[in-house]
Amino acid sequence: MKKAVVLLSGGLDSATALYLAKSEGFDVHTICFNYGQRHDRELNAAKEIADKAKVTEHRVVSINMNQWGGSSLTDKSMDIEHGDVNRTDIPVTYVPARNMVFLSLAASYAEAIGAQDIFIGVSEVDYSGYVDCRQEFIDAMEKTINLGTVMGAEKNQPIQIHAPFVNKTKSEEIAIGMQLGVDYGLTWSCYNGGKEPCGTCDSCLLRAKAFAEAGYEDPALKQ
Ligand code: ZN
């Protein structure tokens, strides 16, 4: 079985990417990042999702990006702004260069275990204007990874980054995930790290909109 590394945050995009990788026959290894995010509750969600999906290995990597902050997710002195699904500016929840850091570490993990495939659940359709969720960025990272790894540069075993939802809406993702048996009740999207989702941040609003469009109730909200 071919090994794949799946970036798993505990949210619905990455959970769907995990199930998609499994459905394509990959031996799945998940990597999750404790980067100093205020919603570190998502780490528990990632663990539960990985366990339920029976992945081969689930790795949690700690990188304290809250040392320099620069985002309301990693700097507790900043407030999470009220959600707006129609916003056009870059919200303060944007974490500087997050996916570049995450994909670099995923590439290191992939090379160490001999995996040529990395899955990331980014979308440039229903996103918050995050520049590191675009196809252009993914393509450039794939090129960089293959220049900076022995697998890519010497062994002719190039690493491919799969971003299967980059052109899909979140509701399309949910429709795919429901077919694949994703337990969305285990996923966590809220940027605020409370016991229950706040229902007002960008991430909660995008999630609610996606479930409504897909025609499903969000199982995480069921009593
Ligand atoms: Zn929220």
Side-chain angles (χ1 to χ4, degrees), residues 10 50 54 83 102 140 148:
K54 296 189 168 63
F102 288 2

Side-chain angles (χ1 to χ4, degrees), residues 8 21 27 30 38 46 53 58 62 75 82 94 116 142 150 178:
L8 185 65
D27 170 21
T30 46
R38 72 168 74 207
H58 177 66
S62 290
D75 181 346
H82 209 76
Y94 165 72
Q116 282 183 256
E142 185 178 280
V150 172
M178 286 293 187

Side-chain angles (χ1 to χ4, degrees), residues 80 188-193 196-205:
I80 301 276
W188 180 267
S189 302
C190 181
Y191 288 146
N192 287 292
E196 300 295 326
C198 73
T200 60
C201 71
D202 269 349
S203 192
C204 280
L205 293 183

